[in-house]
Amino acid sequence: GSSGTKVALVPGGPHPYFAAWEKAGKDAVKDFGLGKADYKVPAEWDLSQQNELIESLVGKGYNAVLVFPGDAVGTNKILGELDDAGIPTAALAGCVEQPTKAKMCFGTDTGHSAYLGTKQLIKAMGGKGKIAHFTGFLVDPNTTLRINAVEKAVAEAGGGVEIIQVIADIDAYEPADEKINAFMAAQGGEVDGIVTTAWVPAVVASQALTNMGDKRIKMVGIDHDEVVLKAIKEGYVHGTMLQNPYGQGYIGSYVMDKIRGGCVFKANAPWKSTAQTDQFIDSGTVFVDITDVDTYVDAMRGISLDILKTFDGTYLDC
Amino acid sequence: MTKKLPNFMFTNQFGLFCIVIIFVIIFSSITDGFTSRFNIYALSRVVAIDIMIGLAMMVVILTGGLNLALGAIGVCAAMFGGWCMETMGIPVIPSIFLILGMGSFLGYINGVITVKTGVHSFIVTLATMSIYFGLMTMLTEAEAFRRLPASFTDFGSIKLFNKYVSPLLIISVTACLTLFYLFKFTDIGRKLIAAGANPDAAELSGISVNTMFIYCHMLSGFLGAVAAIMLTTRIGAAIPSMAGQLGMDWLLPAFLAPVIGGTLLSGGKLSVFGTMLGAILVTLITNGLYLIDVGEFWIRFFLGIILLIAVILDKTREHFTLKSVIVS
Amino acid sequence: MTELCLEINRADKAFPGVQALSKANFKLKKGSIHALLGENGAGKSTLIKIITGIHKQDHGDLLINNSARVLNTPNDATLYGISVVHQERNLIRRFSVGENLMLNNLPRNHFGLIDYKEIAIQSKKWLEIMDLNIDPATLVSDLTVAKMQLCEIAKALSLKSKILLLDEPTSSLSPQESENLFLLLKKIVRDEGVSIVFVSHKLEEVFSICDEVTVLRDGKNACTSEKIENLNRKKLVKLMIGRDEQIVRAKSQNSKNKNLVLKLNNVKSEIGHRDINLELHESEIVGLYGLVGAGRTELAKCLIGIEKIVSGDVEINGLKQTIHSPKTALEKFRIGYISEDRKKEGLILIHNVLDNSSITVWSKIKKAFGYVTDGMISMKVTPYIQQLEVKTPSNYQLISNLSGGNQQKISVVKWLAAGTDILIIDEPTVGIDIKTKAYLHKLIIELAETGTSIILISSDMPEMIGLADRILVMKDFKISGEVNNNHNYDKTSAAIMEYIHD
Amino acid sequence: MTITLQTLLKKDWFGLLIVVILSGILITLFKPAFLSSFNLYVLMVSTSYMLIIALAQMIIISIGQMNLSVGAIGGLVAISFSGVMEVYHLSVPLAIFIGLAIGVICGFLNGFITVKSGISAFIITLATLYIFKGINLGITEAEPFYEIPSAVKNFGNAKIGGTPIPYLIIIPIIITVLMWVLMNRTETGRHMLAYGNSVQSAELLGISSSKVVITAHVISGTLAAVAGMLVVCRLQLGTPNIGDSWLLPSFAAPVIGGAILAGGKVDVIATSLGVLIVAIISQALVIFKIDPFFVQIFLGLMILLAVFINRYREYKQEASRKVFTHD
Ligand SMILES: Nc1ncnc2c1ncn2[C@@H]1O[C@H](COP(=O)(O)OP(=O)(O)OP(=O)(O)O)[C@@H](O)[C@H]1O
Ligand SMILES: Nc1ncnc2c1ncn2[C@@H]1O[C@H](COP(=O)(O)OP(=O)(O)OP(=O)(O)O)[C@@H](O)[C@H]1O
Ligand SMILES: [Mg+2]
Ligand SMILES: [Mg+2]
C-alpha cells in the first residue's frame, strides 16, 4: 500500500453501528501500510452536517472517502464533486442510488436483507400467521425499500401470511417504546411475528418481548445491538440480520488504496445489483439465530478474509 | 449634549463582526486548509443556506412568534419544485416561481390560523409541521426527484471569484440587502416591526396587526422556499430528508443565527445583518472545529463552549460601549 | 420635632446620555408631608428610585434617621421602613388584588404554605381603609387604572412604614378619590407620625396637603425644603419652569351653525353602552366627563372600531358609516384616538422616540415602493417634538428611558403629526407638568380653531371646564346629561355634579 | 365558593379534561382494547416520564424563558447514571444521587450564566444544549451502557400488585403534586410567576431576579435528571440518544395546557392533561392502525383540534366576562 493514501471513514452520524470502523481503519493502516484511515464522525445525524465534515476533511488533505450515505440520493452530489477533485469515494454499509460517482457500494443491500429476514420469520412461523413490521424514518429511501421487500416476501409466502401493521418513523427510543408497547397492548394477542428493519425498533421490540416474557411471538431483528443478541440467546427473539461493519471498514480502506494506486474495476466484474445500484458488493449479510449467535464474530471475520483474498482477482485490474 | 463613540460601535452587529474576524484569524493560523480555496468555497455555500434559513425564522420571531414548520415548508416547496420540473416538465424559471409561491402559501396558512384562532404560533406551526411534512411524505411516498434539469442543479456548483465563492452566497447577501431595505426604508417594513413590538399600540395607531402578522408568516415561507431551492441545487436533487425528520434539522441554525444576531424573541426588534453574521459565526466555528482535531465526538461540546464565549464577549462589549458614553 | 428622618446630599445620577440628577439635595422632616416638584424629566422619579434602592446614586450620600445607609435592593429600603408607590403601575396583572397587596410578606399556614384565606382577610382590611369595595379575589387585570393605583397605595400603607413615598399617586384618580386619599394621608401623619414625600403636577393638591416643598429643575435643586407658607402658586411655578405660567382659556364659540361632522344615534355597544346620543360639530370641543369606570374610554374604542357597536348608527359628515378598525378610522374617516394607557396602548417602549412619534404618518409620507427614511420622518415630526419641548438626548433615545411626562408628550405628538379631522383625546394631561399642560391646552384649542373636531375625555374638572364647549356627563355607560359650558368653574362644575350624583 | 360552570370555565384544565374524556370515550367505542389493563399500563408508562419533562419545561416557561437543554441534561444524566453503575459498579442509590447532582449542576449553570450575563436564556441553553450533549457523546462515543442492575430494570417494568399501575408513575405523580404546591402555595413559586408576568415590576417589588431565575433552572435541571433516569429504568439501557426527542413535546404539553410562552401563566394540572392528550393521540394512531404515511398528518390535526377545543372554552369565558364587567 502507499503511505500517501489518506482514507476518511465517514458514518451518517454518531451511531454504535459504525463503532467497528475505527479499529478496522487502524488495522488497515497497519496491515496495508496506508498513510491514514481515520474514522470521522459528523456532529449530528444530518446530511448537511455530513457534507460539511467531508468538505472540511478534503480541505485537510484526505484523498479517499468511504461514506455511509446520509441520503441515498442526496449524497451523490458531493461524491461527484469529490470525484472532480480526483478523490475516489465509495458508499459503505449502505448504497447511494445510481447514477453515481461512487466507485462501488460495499455493504448490505438493505432491501434484500429485509427480504431475507422476513423469509426467515415466515419460516419460523411455519409459513402462516399475522406479522407486524417496525421500521425507521419514512423519508429515508431505504425505508421504502424495506417496506416493499417485506411485502414481497409475504406475498411469496402465499395466502398464509398477512401484514397487519407497519409502524414507521420510530428511530428515537422514547417514541419507539411508546408506539411498540401500544401495539403490543392492542395487537399482542393476534400478531404471530414481528420483523424490524431499523436499529432502534429492533432494540425496543426485543426489550418489549423480553419484558412480556412472550416466546409465542416470533421476531426477526436487525443488526447487533447487545439487547437483541441477548434476547436471541434467551429465546425471546428468533434471530437477527447481521452485517459486517468491521469488514466494511477494513476492506473498504484497502480498496481505496488500490484505486489510488491506479487500479480500476474490471469491466466484467461480477457486480451484484440492487434496487439502488448495480455496482454492489455484499460485505456479508447473514442471518443469525440462537444456534450461531455466539460464534457469529468469527464467521464474519472468515467472510471478510474470503472477500479480501479474492478481491483483487475478481474485481480489480491493476 | 453628549460625546459619542461612532454610532455603529454600539450595534450588536459590530460586536459580532469583530468576533467573526477574531475567529477567522484564529482558525486560519492554527488549522491547515481553513483558507484553502476548496474550504472557503464550501464555507460560502453552507453559510449561504444558513443565512437564508436564519432570515426565514427571523421574520416570524419579529412577531414574537416562532415558525417550527419552517423546515417542513422548505422540504414541501423543494419536493413540489421537483415534481414540477421532473414530473410535469415545467421549465426552470416558472418552476422557481411556483416553488416560491408554494412556500408563501404554506406560510400564509400558518399566519391565518395563528391570527384567526389566537393560538400561539408555536403550537400552530408545531401542528402544521406534522401536517405539511405528512402530506409531503404521503404524496411523494418519500421518493426523491433526482432528474432535475442540469441548468438548475449545476447552479449549486458554480464557482465565482476565481473559484472562491458560491453564487448561493450572492443570493443570500442580496436577500439581506432587500430585507434591510424593507425594514429600514419602507412603511410596510416599519409597520411589521411596530406590530411585532406592541400589537395593541400598533392597532390603535391605525396598523392592521393581523395583516402584518400574516405577511410575516408568508415572508417566512417565501424565504424558506428560497433556502429550499438553494439546498436543492446544492444537493442536486429534491429529497424528502433534506431537512431531516419533519424538517427539524433546520430549526437549530434557524434559531441560532437571528438570536445571536440580536433579534428579540419577544418580537419587535430584529437585525438583518446580525442574523447574517450570526449564521457566519456558527458555520465558521463548526468548520474550524472540524479542521482542528478536537477528537471525534467532542465537536458539539466545543461548539457549545465557543458559542457561549462568543455571546458573552459580545455582551461585555455592549456594557463597555454603553458605559463609555460620557455625559457633558 | 424638626429632626430629619431622610436626607440626601449632593446626589448625582447619570443615565446613558442624560444627567438625571446633579448635586441634588433633599431633606425630609419627621411627620411632615413634603412635596417634590419639577417639570417632566426634572429627576423626581429618579430621586425616589434612589431612596428606594432601585437606582444607586453615582455620588452623594443617603442618610436615614441621621445615619448613612447604602441601599442595594428595594428590600433594604423596606427594612429601613421606607415604602413607595411608583409612578408606573407595579401590580402583577394575573394575580388577585389580595395577593398583590401581600406579595412581599405572604401569610403562611402552619405547613409553611401560602394561606389565601388569611390574604383575603388582611388585604380586605387595607382595601376598606382606602374605602375600595373590591373583592380581594378580583384579578388586577380586571381593574381600571384608577382602582389599580388605589390598590398600590393600599399596599404601601399595609407595610406600615414610617416613610411613605408617593410618585404622582393621584395621576388617574377622580377628584373625590383624591380627596379621600388626602384625608387618609393627613390622618396617618397625625396619628402615626409617618413622613410622606409627595410628587405631583397638580399644584392645588400640593397647597392643600403639603408642609414643605423641594423643587428640581434639570436634576438640580431650584429650592430645598421651602415652607409652603412662604410660597404661592405664582412663585412655585416660577421655581419649576423658570418663568410665569400663562393661563389658557377657550373663548366660548357658538358652533351650532357649524356643520355636523359626527353624530351618534341611540348607539348600543357590545360591552354595554346604551342609547348613546352625541353630536360633534366642526372645530368643536365636546367634553366627556364622568367618574373613572363610566365607560368613556370604551365609547371612544367603539368609535374607532375596536369594540363592537350592536345597534344605532354612526353618521360622519351626514353619511351613515360603519368603522371596522382603527385603520379605517384613521385612513378613511381621519379619526384618531389618543389613549389614556400610554404604556399598553399608546407607545412602543422598546422603540425610539422617532419611530413612536411617526407611526401614524408612515403610510402618508411614503414615496414610491413605500420608500420612507428617518430623514423624511424627522422632518415631519421633529417640529412637534420641539414644540412640546420633549426632554430627550436625541430622537433615537428609547421611549422607556424617557420620564413619564415626556412619554405622554410623544403619544400626543404622533396624533398631531397624523393630522386628523376628528381627534378623541383620553386623559391627555395625566402626569404632565403644568408648563406642558398649558401648552397642550393651547394646542388643543388651536387644533379646534383650525378645524379639527375634538372629543375630550378627562377626569380633570378644571381642564374640562377650561377647554370644552359642551360637556356630556357619562355614568354607567349611559349619557346622563349635557352641560353647556360657559367656562364659569363653580356654575359648570355644580351642573356636572348634578348629573353624576342622581 | 360553589363550583359553577362559570368558575370551571375559568380553569385552563377544564377544557382539556373534556378533551381527554371525550377522546377516551370515542376511542373505547371503536376499540374497547383501549381500556384493557395492559393498554392503560402502557399509557401510564409513556405519560410518566413525559410528565416530568413537561414540568421541567413548564417551570422555565413560568418565568418567561425557555430551556432548550432539557433533553441534553436528561441524556447526560441518563448515561452518567447507567455509566457509573456499569463502569464503576456503584450502588443504585449512589448512582441516583450522582444523577440528581449532575441535573442540579447543569440547571444551576443554565440559571447562573443567564443571570450573570444578562443574555436570553434561549441562547444560553442553546449553547449548553450543545455542551451537555457534547459531553454525553464524548463520554459514550455513541455507545450505550447495557449493564443495568435488575432492581432498576424491574422498577421500570413492574406493575403495582394486580393493578395496571406501573411503579414508574409513582414518582411523576408525587412530583406533579409538589409542583402544584410550589406554583400555587409557596412564595418561591408565586415570585416566579410574578417575575414571569413582568420583570420590571418584580424588580421594583424587590423580588430578587437572580434567586428566581436560578431556582427555576435548578428545578428544571433536576426534573430533567429524574426523567432521564426514569427513561433508563424503562428502556433498561443507557443510550446516548435519550433526550434527543424531548424538546417539542416538552413545550407542546404546557402550551396545550394554556401556558403563555411570554411567562407568568402556567397551570400544572393543565400541563399534565396536555401530556396525557399527546400520549392518547399517539397511542390512538397505533391502535387504529393508521397507515404510516398518514400518521404525521393525523398527529398534527389532532393537536390543532385539542387546542381549538380549549380555545373555544376561553372564548365562552371571555364572552361571559364582558357581560359582567360593569354595574
Ligand atoms: N432608566 C433610564 N435610562 C435612561 N434615562 C433615564 C432612565 N430613567 C430616567 N431617565 C432620564 O432621567 C431624567 C429624569 O427622569 P425622571 O423619571 O426622574 O423625571 P421625572 O421628574 O420623574 O419626570 P415626570 O414628572 O415626567 O415623571 C429624564 O430625562 C429621563 O429621560
Ligand atoms: N371593578 C371593576 N372590575 C372589572 N372591570 C372594571 C371595573 N371597573 C371598571 N372596569 C372596566 O373598565 C371599564 C371602564 O374603565 P375606564 O376607567 O377606562 O372607563 P372610563 O370611563 O374611560 O374611565 P376613565 O376614562 O376616566 O379612565 C369598564 O367598562 C370595565 O370594563
Ligand atoms: Mg416621574
Ligand atoms: Mg378611560
Side-chain angles (χ1 to χ4, degrees), chain B residues 11-25:
Chain B
T11 58
N12 169 288
Q13 293 92 305
F14 176 72
L16 274 174
F17 183 73
C18 301
I19 294 168
V20 168
I21 298 299
I22 295 173
F23 277 111
V24 170
I25 295 170

Side-chain angles (χ1 to χ4, degrees), chain D residues 87-99:
Chain D
V87 181
Y88 306 111
H89 308 290
L90 297 187
S91 68
V92 177
L94 200 51
I96 295 178
F97 174 78
I98 293 180

Side-chain angles (χ1 to χ4, degrees), chain C residues 142 144 147 292-298 340 426-427 459 477, chain D residues 325:
Chain C
D142 288 348
T144 55
K147 288 211 168 61
V292 171
R296 297 166 296 169
T297 300
E298 284 60 31
E340 68 182 332
D426 196 347
E427 310 285 7
S459 309
F477 288 64
Chain D
T325 39

Side-chain angles (χ1 to χ4, degrees), chain D residues 23-46:
Chain D
S23 51
I25 295 172
L26 269 177
I27 300 175
T28 321
L29 283 183
F30 293 99
K31 303 275 178 184
F34 180 72
L35 288 185
S36 73
S37 115
F38 188 13
N39 195 62
L40 291 177
Y41 165 77
V42 174
L43 189 60
M44 282 187 268
V45 166
S46 48

Side-chain angles (χ1 to χ4, degrees), chain D residues 107-145:
Chain D
F108 178 80
L109 282 178
N110 284 342
F112 183 78
I113 302 176
T114 309
V115 168
K116 290 302 164 208
S117 67
I119 301 168
S120 116
F122 188 93
I123 309 181
I124 298 300
T125 54
L126 193 49
T128 52
L129 155 69
Y130 280 95
I131 296 177
F132 301 149
K133 181 70 185 182
I135 298 175
N136 173 335
L137 287 175
I139 294 173
T140 57
E141 309 216 320
E143 298 257 24
F145 292 105

Side-chain angles (χ1 to χ4, degrees), chain C residues 133-134 138-139 141-147 172 271 273 290-299 301 337 340 426-427 457-459 474 477, chain D residues 321-322 324-326:
Chain C
N133 57 344
I134 311 175
T138 321
L139 287 186
S141 52
D142 288 348
L143 294 184
T144 55
V145 192
K147 288 211 168 61
S172 54
I271 51 168
H273 295 88
L291 300 187
V292 171
R296 297 166 296 169
T297 300
E298 284 60 31
L299 182 58
K301 290 193 172 163
Y337 167 68
E340 68 182 332
D426 196 347
E427 310 285 7
I457 300 175
S458 172
S459 309
M474 258 188 103
F477 288 64
Chain D
R321 232 190 91 255
K322 275 219 169 110
F324 288 106
T325 39
H326 55 85

